[in-house]
Structure formats: structure tokens, C-alpha cells
Amino acid sequence: MIFNKVIAVGRVESVDSKIATSFILNEIAKVGAPRRDSFHFDQVNNTISIDVANLVSIRNKAVIDFLSNQLTSPNLDERRIAAYTIVTEVIERKYVDLRLKAFKALLPLIPFPTFDTSNSYGQLDMHTHTLESDGYVTPTGLIREAFEEGLFGIAITNHNIFPDDPKVNEAYRAAQILNEFIKSRSTDKSDFKRFELIAGIELDNEHNGTTVHTLLYIPQYFERYSELMKNPVMRDAMKKLQRLDDERVESSKKLLAAISQKYPQIAMTWETFLTKVRCDQISRATVPDVLYETFPQFFEKEGITEPRNVWKNWLPKDMRPTLEYKNRLSLDDVAKLIAATGAKFAMAHPEEVFAMEKKDKKSGTIETYFSYLIEKIEKKEILEDSILGIAFYSAKLQNPLERNTIRNMFWALRQKHLFLRKVREDGRRNDMHLLTESDSHGKMLTGYVGGRTDGPVNLTVYREDLYAALGI
């Protein structure tokens, strides 16, 4: 409900306890009871830490009006807290202008990133999400977070949703505000001259009986928006993706009803469920998240201590997802989109494909995925430079809390081997990229924006190569 420095991983920032008590507890907590472990008191240092990941969103108009008024408070700390809170936790679409206003007020209060002070200085994050799909962070909040981490650019790749008109697109507008600020503050000594927002989409495909996620990046997307929306291939794809979204909503309704019937102590109506959902895109994975947040004591008794384990360890197997959705885009649909729009494609988090293959006792999905699309290039159905690469520097792959370290090393080597052998095998595609990704959703399930343990050695060359490939 309040803020922290990097919302995506639930890290905390300490503020003076007097301000926290008067400003936060007395005003913001009126919205509803905070979730567990939200406030952490340090009596030695006289501070309080607030963990955003464990708090509720702000929808109460009186509280939002209070926060808005605090943007002009003479107290610097109150002004900063109010701006952070609005940007990250006032989530409804009707408050886009307020979030952008708060972001503009907040930027002068954020230390300008440098190589020495920012974790991901100079990097690009090619795979992120916002609450416009299944993420937890607002588009403005993600741009703010990326700037604080020192990223020179990000690609927002929401699931199966193309970015909307730049006139109303929140992330696009936030990036414009940020670039105006960077222009006013950047010095001759700083190499941070501009923040790049890359338009993208993450498509859920089925290939070889396995779910594969394709990242598409369309060069000059916002400049070409009107033209792209008139493209018949694009329009057909968008209609199919809308039907896929409808399928997922219906599937989520059935899952919620089934759980409610089997476990009456955590029963919930669909109408109540909708009031508790933070993100715009509903899937069956959203249902366990909401139930965990609403009935924490029930899941504590079941031995479940975090939301992801509701899905992973508690949910009965007969309620788990399958590949029955009829409206996923096929790889042929993806190839048509690439041909029609000039998009570049990459495979997201291939380590998840390895995991599914291991579970299903099969292999070859990644090889045949690239073989299929390389064949399209050879037939001149899509352009030679359509392949951007494969996600390699992945927060999900390299996070020891998420994955076994030895398995990480094995999969990383296998990924690179596949990439070098399959994608670059004919010697003509030596400009392919091992992409950096966090798959940030703004919650603990994935990495935080920019989050990786390593990355390309020469970031300047890496950025220049990617910018050239994407027409930036």
C-alpha cells in the first residue's frame, strides 16, 4: 500500500518512524488491514520499513485525495512518500494522470543514477510486465523503478496484449516525462542521456505439445501505431488474443467455483474476487493469489507460507491448467505477424521449456521452434534479420531462491549451446543476441526489473547492437 525502493521484489526502504506513524499508519491504513509482515520496526535505529509486496492497493477516494494534496506538502519526506505511494499503489486506470503528476513531482527527489550507485546501470531489460496484464506494478511505477535501478531502457512485454495508442499509453507518457527530466539533469560526464521504452508483447504459443513464450518487438511501434492498427494480420491476431483472454476468464471462473465448492471455508463469489484483483488480466494463476491474500490463516494451517506455493503445492492436480485453450497463436500466426509488421522475435525464459520437457520426458522443443522459424526465413516468408535472439541473462534462471544452483549452471550451458549451434549454425546469423530479461511482474514470483547476477560484458556495444536491430 505504501512504497519501497524496488517494489518488484518486496525490498524495503526505511523512513523516519514519526513520519511513518503519523502519515502512514493513521491515514493510509484506513483503507484496510495490511497483510502480514507489512511493517518492520527497528527500535535501535528508530525506523520503520514498509514492504509493498505485502500490502493492499489504494482505491479509497478520500485517501487518494489526501495523498494528492500531500504532493505540495512543505515537508520533503511527506511529499516523497505521497508521490511514491500514488505512483505504485493508486492503481486504477482513471488515476493515470495523477500517477504521472506524482511521477513528475517525484523525479527530482530520486538520486540521479550512476554506475557506482545503481545496481543495473547501463543495462536493458527486454522482458517486463505491468498490471495491464498479470503484473502487480503500474506502468509508471515500472518506469520509475527502472530509472532508479539505472537501466537505460526496458521492453514492456505484457502477455498477449499489444500496447495501446501512445496518446493514452501510460508507460509511453511516463517515459516522455522521464526523458525530459534526464535532459534537464544529465551532465557532460554522465552517459545516461536517454531512457528507451521498447514496445513489445509476450505471446503464449503451443509448440511440440509444450507452452513456449515468444517475445515480439515491433520497431517504431508507437510512431507506426495508426498504420499497424489498420493492418489486417494485426487486427486478426488481436481478435484471436481477445478470444484467448475470454477463455482464460471463463476458466478462472470455473476454477474459483470448484475451489469454493470443495473448500467452503475459503469460498468466494466471482463478484467479490473481481474487487480483490490487482491486475487487469485474469488467469487461473490469479485465483490462488487472491485466495492466499484473503485467507492467510487458512493457508498457514495448510503449511503454505507464500502465494506461489498455493498453486505449486496445494492446488489439487485435477484443477491444474492444461493446454486446452483454443485461441493461442500458433507459430504460423507468429510468422505472419512478423512478416506483416517487421517485428523481431526472441524466445523467453527457455529454462521453463527445459523444466516442462523434463516433466514430460521429452526434448527438442527449442530446437524445432527455431528450426520452424528459420525455415520461414529460408523460404523468404519473413526477413533474414527477424530473429533477435533468446533470453539468456535471466533473473529467473540465475536466482538461487527460485532454481537449484547446479541445475541453473547446466541449463545455462545448454541454453548457450543450443543458441550457438541452432540459431547461428549457418554462419549468417552471428548478430543474434543473448538477451537480458527479468520477467519482472512486480512481485516475488519473478525477478525485479533489471535483476540479473550477470550480463553482457560490454554494455555499450550490447545496447548499440540491440538499438540497431530494433531500429532505435
Side-chain angles (χ1 to χ4, degrees), residues 239-309:
K239 288 177 182 177
K240 192 169 184 179
L241 292 175
Q242 180 58 57
R243 293 196 296 270
L244 175 61
D245 188 56
D246 294 341
E247 279 187 284
R248 286 191 162 135
V249 169
E250 286 303 312
S251 181
S252 300
K253 285 183 180 180
K254 292 177 181 177
L255 175 59
L256 181 63
I259 293 175
S260 297
Q261 183 177 10
K262 187 167 184 176
Y263 304 96
Q265 59 271 56
I266 58 171
M268 183 181 292
T269 65
W270 182 251
E271 291 71 25
T272 301
F273 171 80
L274 291 179
T275 66
K276 296 178 179 294
V277 174
R278 181 178 171 96
C279 54
D280 291 349
Q281 192 176 71
I282 295 171
S283 68
R284 281 183 292 194
T286 316
V287 175
D289 278 0
V290 170
L291 290 175
Y292 179 85
E293 294 164 3
T294 308
F295 303 103
Q297 293 180 342
F298 170 85
F299 288 105
E300 276 184 358
K301 292 178 181 178
E302 295 286 315
I304 303 299
T305 58
E306 51 185 324
R308 61 181 173 182
N309 287 335

XYZ file of all heavy atoms in Angstrom, residues 239-309:
588
model
N -7.888 -9.953 -32.424
C -9.193 -10.578 -32.168
C -9.017 -11.961 -31.547
O -9.751 -12.343 -30.629
C -9.981 -10.680 -33.476
C -10.495 -9.349 -34.006
C -11.197 -9.527 -35.344
C -11.668 -8.191 -35.905
N -12.291 -8.362 -37.257
N -8.057 -12.700 -32.074
C -7.813 -14.039 -31.538
C -7.299 -13.959 -30.098
O -7.694 -14.761 -29.238
C -6.799 -14.782 -32.417
C -6.697 -16.272 -32.113
C -5.886 -16.995 -33.174
C -5.889 -18.505 -32.903
N -5.129 -19.241 -33.949
N -6.447 -12.989 -29.824
C -5.925 -12.817 -28.472
C -7.027 -12.396 -27.505
O -7.009 -12.762 -26.331
C -4.781 -11.805 -28.469
C -3.506 -12.250 -29.189
C -2.489 -11.111 -29.232
C -2.898 -13.481 -28.523
N -7.994 -11.620 -27.986
C -9.129 -11.262 -27.132
C -9.953 -12.496 -26.797
O -10.414 -12.660 -25.659
C -10.007 -10.219 -27.829
C -11.216 -9.775 -27.009
C -10.842 -9.204 -25.663
O -10.073 -8.244 -25.590
N -11.358 -9.773 -24.579
N -10.137 -13.378 -27.781
C -10.868 -14.629 -27.512
C -10.091 -15.500 -26.516
O -10.693 -16.169 -25.666
C -11.108 -15.391 -28.818
C -12.063 -14.686 -29.768
C -12.578 -15.627 -30.851
N -11.524 -16.101 -31.725
C -11.139 -15.485 -32.839
N -11.722 -14.347 -33.213
N -10.163 -15.990 -33.595
N -8.756 -15.480 -26.612
C -7.936 -16.216 -25.650
C -8.140 -15.661 -24.245
O -8.273 -16.420 -23.271
C -6.461 -16.123 -26.052
C -5.446 -16.732 -25.080
C -5.685 -18.232 -24.902
C -4.016 -16.467 -25.565
N -8.197 -14.341 -24.142
C -8.422 -13.715 -22.840
C -9.790 -14.120 -22.284
O -9.924 -14.408 -21.087
C -8.329 -12.196 -22.976
C -8.351 -11.488 -21.635
O -7.500 -11.793 -20.790
O -9.237 -10.644 -21.421
N -10.796 -14.139 -23.147
C -12.138 -14.558 -22.715
C -12.121 -16.004 -22.224
O -12.776 -16.341 -21.227
C -13.137 -14.417 -23.870
C -13.365 -12.969 -24.289
O -13.050 -12.068 -23.478
O -13.835 -12.739 -25.414
N -11.363 -16.851 -22.916
C -11.244 -18.251 -22.489
C -10.644 -18.344 -21.093
O -11.096 -19.138 -20.255
C -10.333 -19.020 -23.459
C -10.983 -19.486 -24.738
C -10.055 -20.378 -25.522
O -9.106 -19.850 -26.146
O -10.244 -21.606 -25.495
N -9.639 -17.533 -20.848
C -8.957 -17.583 -19.557
C -9.862 -17.086 -18.423
O -9.804 -17.596 -17.309
C -7.671 -16.769 -19.612
C -6.604 -17.478 -20.413
C -5.261 -16.831 -20.250
N -4.224 -17.756 -20.669
C -3.202 -17.442 -21.442
N -3.090 -16.224 -21.880
N -2.308 -18.342 -21.771
N -10.667 -16.084 -18.706
C -11.603 -15.598 -17.695
C -12.605 -16.681 -17.339
O -12.874 -16.940 -16.155
C -12.323 -14.322 -18.189
C -13.477 -13.964 -17.255
C -11.346 -13.157 -18.289
N -13.149 -17.342 -18.367
C -14.118 -18.415 -18.111
C -13.467 -19.557 -17.336
O -14.072 -20.142 -16.430
C -14.693 -18.933 -19.433
C -15.682 -17.984 -20.089
C -16.846 -17.640 -19.162
O -17.433 -18.574 -18.575
O -17.152 -16.440 -19.019
N -12.237 -19.883 -17.685
C -11.524 -20.940 -16.993
C -11.278 -20.561 -15.530
O -11.377 -21.399 -14.621
C -10.190 -21.213 -17.696
O -9.489 -22.251 -17.066
N -10.977 -19.277 -15.284
C -10.751 -18.801 -13.919
C -12.038 -18.870 -13.101
O -12.020 -19.217 -11.908
C -10.218 -17.367 -13.944
O -9.002 -17.291 -14.643
N -13.147 -18.539 -13.730
C -14.443 -18.637 -13.044
C -14.704 -20.062 -12.593
O -15.136 -20.312 -11.455
C -15.573 -18.179 -13.980
C -15.672 -16.691 -14.196
C -16.870 -16.375 -15.075
C -17.011 -14.881 -15.323
N -18.180 -14.577 -16.189
N -14.429 -21.000 -13.485
C -14.660 -22.417 -13.154
C -13.741 -22.876 -12.030
O -14.157 -23.623 -11.142
C -14.449 -23.278 -14.407
C -15.501 -23.068 -15.491
C -15.182 -23.901 -16.731
C -16.217 -23.665 -17.832
N -15.876 -24.431 -19.075
N -12.479 -22.422 -12.062
C -11.540 -22.808 -11.017
C -11.986 -22.263 -9.663
O -11.980 -22.977 -8.650
C -10.140 -22.299 -11.348
C -9.068 -22.536 -10.274
C -8.910 -24.020 -9.961
C -7.734 -21.933 -10.704
N -12.381 -20.985 -9.634
C -12.830 -20.385 -8.375
C -14.059 -21.107 -7.839
O -14.157 -21.385 -6.633
C -13.131 -18.902 -8.580
C -13.588 -18.139 -7.333
C -12.481 -18.126 -6.279
C -14.008 -16.715 -7.698
N -14.994 -21.445 -8.727
C -16.199 -22.155 -8.307
C -15.863 -23.543 -7.759
O -16.426 -23.979 -6.748
C -17.178 -22.263 -9.475
N -14.924 -24.227 -8.418
C -14.541 -25.573 -7.978
C -13.872 -25.541 -6.607
O -14.160 -26.368 -5.733
C -13.610 -26.201 -9.014
N -12.981 -24.563 -6.393
C -12.312 -24.436 -5.093
C -13.324 -24.079 -4.010
O -13.297 -24.628 -2.900
C -11.187 -23.390 -5.165
C -10.053 -23.878 -6.070
C -10.640 -23.085 -3.770
C -8.953 -22.854 -6.294
N -14.230 -23.149 -4.338
C -15.232 -22.718 -3.367
C -16.144 -23.861 -2.950
O -16.553 -23.963 -1.791
C -16.064 -21.562 -3.936
O -15.256 -20.426 -4.181
N -16.446 -24.736 -3.909
C -17.308 -25.873 -3.591
C -16.575 -26.903 -2.731
O -17.139 -27.450 -1.778
C -17.803 -26.522 -4.886
C -18.766 -27.687 -4.643
C -19.302 -28.260 -5.946
O -18.844 -27.930 -7.035
N -20.300 -29.129 -5.837
N -15.307 -27.142 -3.053
C -14.546 -28.164 -2.330
C -14.071 -27.662 -0.967
O -13.954 -28.449 -0.013
C -13.350 -28.593 -3.172
C -12.588 -29.784 -2.591
C -11.623 -30.374 -3.603
C -10.943 -31.632 -3.054
N -10.066 -32.259 -4.072
N -13.804 -26.353 -0.866
C -13.295 -25.777 0.385
C -14.188 -24.594 0.783
O -13.840 -23.428 0.553
C -11.854 -25.309 0.215
C -10.908 -26.383 -0.254
C -10.581 -26.517 -1.609
C -10.341 -27.279 0.654
C -9.708 -27.513 -2.035
C -9.471 -28.277 0.226
C -9.164 -28.392 -1.117
O -8.310 -29.376 -1.547
N -15.350 -24.865 1.377
C -16.299 -23.787 1.704
C -15.727 -22.732 2.644
O -16.200 -21.593 2.651
C -17.471 -24.540 2.344
C -16.933 -25.876 2.724
C -15.871 -26.191 1.751
N -14.710 -23.096 3.441
C -14.126 -22.126 4.369
C -13.375 -21.006 3.651
O -13.087 -19.970 4.255
C -13.230 -22.824 5.390
C -12.063 -23.611 4.830
C -12.391 -25.057 4.517
O -13.322 -25.323 3.755
N -11.625 -25.987 5.091
N -13.047 -21.190 2.370
C -12.418 -20.104 1.597
C -13.255 -19.784 0.353
O -12.732 -19.291 -0.648
C -10.973 -20.468 1.195
C -10.910 -21.764 0.373
C -10.080 -20.575 2.418
C -9.531 -22.034 -0.219
N -14.533 -20.060 0.417
C -15.426 -19.808 -0.723
C -15.486 -18.316 -1.033
O -15.441 -17.473 -0.129
C -16.817 -20.341 -0.415
N -15.569 -17.999 -2.293
C -15.622 -16.605 -2.733
C -16.431 -16.507 -4.021
O -16.284 -17.339 -4.920
C -14.192 -16.085 -2.981
C -14.120 -14.613 -3.373
S -12.402 -14.068 -3.683
C -11.724 -14.160 -2.035
N -17.288 -15.507 -4.104
C -18.044 -15.299 -5.336
C -17.158 -14.615 -6.373
O -16.155 -13.975 -6.022
C -19.278 -14.423 -5.089
O -18.843 -13.103 -4.703
C -20.163 -15.016 -3.989
N -17.530 -14.739 -7.626
C -16.768 -14.097 -8.695
C -16.778 -12.573 -8.539
O -15.760 -11.906 -8.773
C -17.342 -14.499 -10.053
C -16.593 -13.935 -11.216
C -17.004 -12.964 -12.066
C -15.281 -14.314 -11.648
N -16.045 -12.704 -13.009
C -14.969 -13.525 -12.783
C -14.346 -15.239 -11.200
C -13.767 -13.624 -13.465
C -13.136 -15.336 -11.884
C -12.857 -14.546 -12.997
N -17.914 -12.025 -8.128
C -18.034 -10.580 -7.958
C -17.068 -10.078 -6.882
O -16.399 -9.051 -7.053
C -19.479 -10.209 -7.590
C -20.498 -10.396 -8.701
C -20.785 -11.872 -8.996
O -20.592 -12.723 -8.082
O -21.174 -12.157 -10.139
N -16.964 -10.824 -5.771
C -16.014 -10.448 -4.716
C -14.583 -10.587 -5.204
O -13.722 -9.736 -4.933
C -16.223 -11.332 -3.470
O -17.564 -11.158 -3.005
C -15.250 -10.958 -2.362
N -14.321 -11.645 -5.944
C -12.984 -11.886 -6.499
C -12.525 -10.699 -7.340
O -11.378 -10.236 -7.213
C -13.020 -13.163 -7.343
C -11.784 -13.428 -8.142
C -10.662 -13.986 -7.556
C -11.735 -13.121 -9.494
C -9.503 -14.235 -8.300
C -10.602 -13.369 -10.253
C -9.490 -13.924 -9.643
N -13.402 -10.160 -8.178
C -13.033 -9.053 -9.063
C -12.644 -7.798 -8.285
O -11.824 -7.009 -8.753
C -14.187 -8.738 -10.025
C -14.478 -9.804 -11.089
C -15.662 -9.379 -11.947
C -13.254 -10.072 -11.962
N -13.227 -7.611 -7.101
C -12.876 -6.431 -6.304
C -11.501 -6.565 -5.661
O -10.936 -5.574 -5.188
C -13.914 -6.193 -5.184
O -13.862 -7.278 -4.241
C -15.314 -6.075 -5.755
N -10.953 -7.758 -5.633
C -9.680 -8.008 -4.966
C -8.519 -8.181 -5.939
O -7.359 -8.254 -5.526
C -9.790 -9.247 -4.071
C -10.785 -9.080 -2.916
C -10.886 -10.347 -2.101
C -11.856 -10.172 -0.931
N -11.367 -9.185 0.063
N -8.810 -8.282 -7.224
C -7.762 -8.495 -8.224
C -7.038 -7.180 -8.505
O -7.673 -6.155 -8.744
C -8.358 -9.058 -9.529
C -7.291 -9.146 -10.605
C -8.972 -10.421 -9.286
N -5.734 -7.222 -8.480
C -4.929 -6.023 -8.713
C -4.658 -5.808 -10.197
O -4.622 -4.668 -10.679
C -3.609 -6.138 -7.946
C -2.692 -4.924 -8.089
C -1.436 -5.116 -7.266
N -0.456 -4.088 -7.551
C -0.283 -2.980 -6.837
N -1.053 -2.760 -5.794
N 0.643 -2.096 -7.158
N -4.451 -6.863 -10.959
C -4.052 -6.736 -12.365
C -5.272 -6.790 -13.281
O -6.344 -7.245 -12.901
C -3.059 -7.829 -12.735
S -3.621 -9.500 -12.384
N -5.081 -6.318 -14.518
C -6.177 -6.278 -15.491
C -6.455 -7.637 -16.115
O -7.585 -7.939 -16.495
C -5.854 -5.281 -16.614
C -5.859 -3.844 -16.129
O -6.306 -3.611 -14.987
O -5.412 -2.958 -16.883
N -5.416 -8.440 -16.265
C -5.552 -9.711 -16.972
C -5.722 -10.845 -15.969
O -4.884 -11.060 -15.108
C -4.308 -9.952 -17.829
C -4.450 -11.085 -18.827
C -3.197 -11.194 -19.691
O -2.143 -11.599 -19.232
N -3.311 -10.792 -20.942
N -6.841 -11.553 -16.088
C -7.157 -12.621 -15.144
C -6.845 -13.971 -15.776
O -7.227 -14.252 -16.914
C -8.645 -12.573 -14.747
C -8.929 -11.277 -13.978
C -9.025 -13.776 -13.892
C -10.385 -11.036 -13.720
N -6.126 -14.788 -15.018
C -5.867 -16.158 -15.436
C -6.084 -17.048 -14.224
O -6.320 -16.574 -13.111
C -4.433 -16.309 -15.955
O -3.512 -16.156 -14.890
N -5.972 -18.347 -14.432
C -6.194 -19.249 -13.305
C -5.151 -19.087 -12.212
O -5.406 -19.372 -11.037
C -6.245 -20.699 -13.802
C -7.589 -21.024 -14.423
C -7.683 -22.460 -14.853
N -6.799 -22.756 -15.967
C -6.895 -23.870 -16.694
N -7.821 -24.752 -16.422
N -6.081 -24.072 -17.690
N -3.967 -18.595 -12.569
C -2.945 -18.351 -11.557
C -3.339 -17.198 -10.636
O -2.849 -17.090 -9.509
C -1.605 -18.061 -12.226
N -4.221 -16.301 -11.117
C -4.668 -15.180 -10.303
C -5.532 -15.651 -9.141
O -5.524 -15.046 -8.065
C -5.476 -14.179 -11.150
O -4.827 -13.965 -12.398
C -5.638 -12.850 -10.439
N -6.278 -16.724 -9.352
C -7.215 -17.208 -8.333
C -6.500 -17.610 -7.044
O -6.863 -17.124 -5.958
C -8.072 -18.366 -8.893
C -8.960 -18.964 -7.801
C -8.927 -17.883 -10.062
N -5.467 -18.467 -7.095
C -4.759 -18.806 -5.858
C -4.126 -17.599 -5.178
O -4.081 -17.532 -3.944
C -3.684 -19.799 -6.327
C -4.209 -20.367 -7.585
C -4.956 -19.248 -8.231
N -3.620 -16.637 -5.962
C -3.026 -15.427 -5.382
C -4.044 -14.684 -4.513
O -3.755 -14.291 -3.379
C -2.530 -14.492 -6.494
C -1.166 -14.878 -7.022
O -0.598 -15.865 -6.522
O -0.677 -14.204 -7.945
N -5.232 -14.471 -5.078
C -6.266 -13.723 -4.361
C -6.740 -14.496 -3.130
O -6.933 -13.919 -2.055
C -7.458 -13.407 -5.292
C -8.643 -12.853 -4.510
C -7.031 -12.418 -6.376
N -6.896 -15.798 -3.271
C -7.332 -16.604 -2.132
C -6.305 -16.568 -1.007
O -6.656 -16.478 0.176
C -7.593 -18.045 -2.573
C -8.812 -18.260 -3.474
C -8.892 -19.700 -3.929
C -10.101 -17.852 -2.763
N -5.043 -16.640 -1.343
C -3.988 -16.590 -0.328
C -4.019 -15.261 0.412
O -3.875 -15.207 1.641
C -2.624 -16.802 -0.981
C -1.474 -16.737 0.003
C -1.088 -17.857 0.728
C -0.792 -15.537 0.214
C -0.035 -17.790 1.643
C 0.257 -15.463 1.124
C 0.625 -16.593 1.829
O 1.654 -16.512 2.730
N -4.167 -14.175 -0.342
C -4.183 -12.852 0.273
C -5.420 -12.644 1.155
O -5.377 -11.913 2.142
C -4.132 -11.777 -0.817
C -2.816 -11.768 -1.580
C -2.892 -10.993 -2.877
O -3.971 -10.407 -3.144
O -1.898 -10.958 -3.620
N -6.529 -13.302 0.788
C -7.781 -13.109 1.509
C -7.906 -14.028 2.721
O -8.470 -13.647 3.748
C -8.974 -13.352 0.561
O -8.816 -12.566 -0.627
C -10.285 -12.969 1.231
N -7.351 -15.230 2.605
C -7.489 -16.223 3.681
C -6.112 -16.731 4.145
O -5.821 -17.928 4.068
C -8.338 -17.410 3.200
C -9.700 -17.030 2.707
C -9.980 -16.967 1.341
C -10.720 -16.737 3.604
C -11.240 -16.619 0.882
C -12.000 -16.398 3.159
C -12.260 -16.327 1.792
N -5.261 -15.846 4.634
C -3.899 -16.273 5.012
C -3.878 -17.310 6.130
O -3.029 -18.202 6.144
C -3.221 -14.972 5.440
C -4.337 -14.049 5.810
C -5.460 -14.395 4.889
N -4.810 -17.196 7.086
C -4.806 -18.136 8.210
C -5.135 -19.555 7.758
O -4.561 -20.534 8.261
C -5.791 -17.675 9.279
C -5.360 -16.381 9.957
C -6.346 -15.925 11.015
O -7.489 -16.361 11.029
N -5.892 -15.053 11.903
N -6.041 -19.670 6.788
C -6.371 -20.995 6.252
C -5.134 -21.642 5.650
O -4.838 -22.819 5.903
C -7.474 -20.877 5.193
C -7.710 -22.144 4.408
C -8.552 -23.140 4.894
C -7.073 -22.360 3.180
C -8.760 -24.318 4.175
C -7.274 -23.531 2.472
C -8.123 -24.508 2.969
N -4.387 -20.890 4.862
C -3.225 -21.466 4.181
C -2.062 -21.687 5.143
O -1.242 -22.587 4.911
C -2.830 -20.577 2.998
C -3.803 -20.668 1.853
C -4.706 -19.648 1.606
C -3.859 -21.806 1.072
C -5.619 -19.738 0.567
C -4.773 -21.911 0.031
C -5.661 -20.879 -0.225
N -1.972 -20.894 6.197
C -0.958 -21.157 7.218
C -1.174 -22.537 7.830
O -0.226 -23.295 8.050
C -1.028 -20.076 8.303
C -0.264 -18.817 7.954
C -0.276 -17.819 9.108
O -0.911 -18.103 10.144
O 0.344 -16.760 8.961
N -2.439 -22.851 8.122
C -2.757 -24.171 8.682
C -2.446 -25.288 7.688
O -2.151 -26.417 8.083
C -4.228 -24.231 9.087
C -4.571 -23.334 10.271
C -6.057 -23.398 10.601
C -6.401 -22.483 11.778
N -7.854 -22.507 12.075
N -2.496 -24.962 6.398
C -2.192 -25.947 5.355
C -0.677 -26.028 5.088
O -0.243 -26.785 4.217
C -2.917 -25.575 4.057
C -4.432 -25.630 4.137
C -4.955 -27.060 4.146
O -4.479 -27.867 3.341
O -5.847 -27.359 4.974
N 0.097 -25.227 5.793
C 1.546 -25.237 5.604
C 2.017 -24.415 4.427
O 3.159 -24.569 3.972
N 1.176 -23.531 3.927
C 1.523 -22.687 2.783
C 1.885 -21.305 3.295
O 1.072 -20.626 3.932
C 0.347 -22.594 1.788
C -0.067 -23.988 1.310
C 0.710 -21.701 0.610
C 1.015 -24.749 0.588
N 3.103 -20.867 3.007
C 3.594 -19.602 3.555
C 3.821 -18.518 2.512
O 4.205 -17.401 2.854
C 4.918 -19.830 4.307
O 5.876 -20.421 3.404
C 4.706 -20.761 5.493
N 3.600 -18.818 1.237
C 3.722 -17.804 0.199
C 2.783 -18.140 -0.956
O 2.463 -19.315 -1.191
C 5.157 -17.670 -0.280
C 5.826 -18.950 -0.674
C 7.295 -18.733 -1.016
O 7.616 -17.671 -1.604
O 8.119 -19.606 -0.716
N 2.317 -17.131 -1.701
C 1.290 -17.342 -2.725
C 1.636 -18.390 -3.770
O 0.778 -19.184 -4.170
C 1.148 -15.953 -3.366
C 1.620 -15.004 -2.342
C 2.690 -15.707 -1.565
N 2.881 -18.407 -4.236
C 3.227 -19.323 -5.328
C 3.040 -20.780 -4.929
O 2.808 -21.644 -5.772
C 4.662 -19.082 -5.791
C 5.715 -19.305 -4.727
C 7.097 -19.019 -5.271
N 8.092 -19.064 -4.205
C 9.375 -18.811 -4.405
N 9.793 -18.504 -5.608
N 10.227 -18.851 -3.411
N 3.165 -21.058 -3.632
C 3.015 -22.447 -3.196
C 1.573 -22.902 -3.117
O 1.312 -24.092 -2.998
C 3.714 -22.645 -1.849
C 5.227 -22.634 -1.987
O 5.755 -22.936 -3.061
N 5.932 -22.260 -0.932
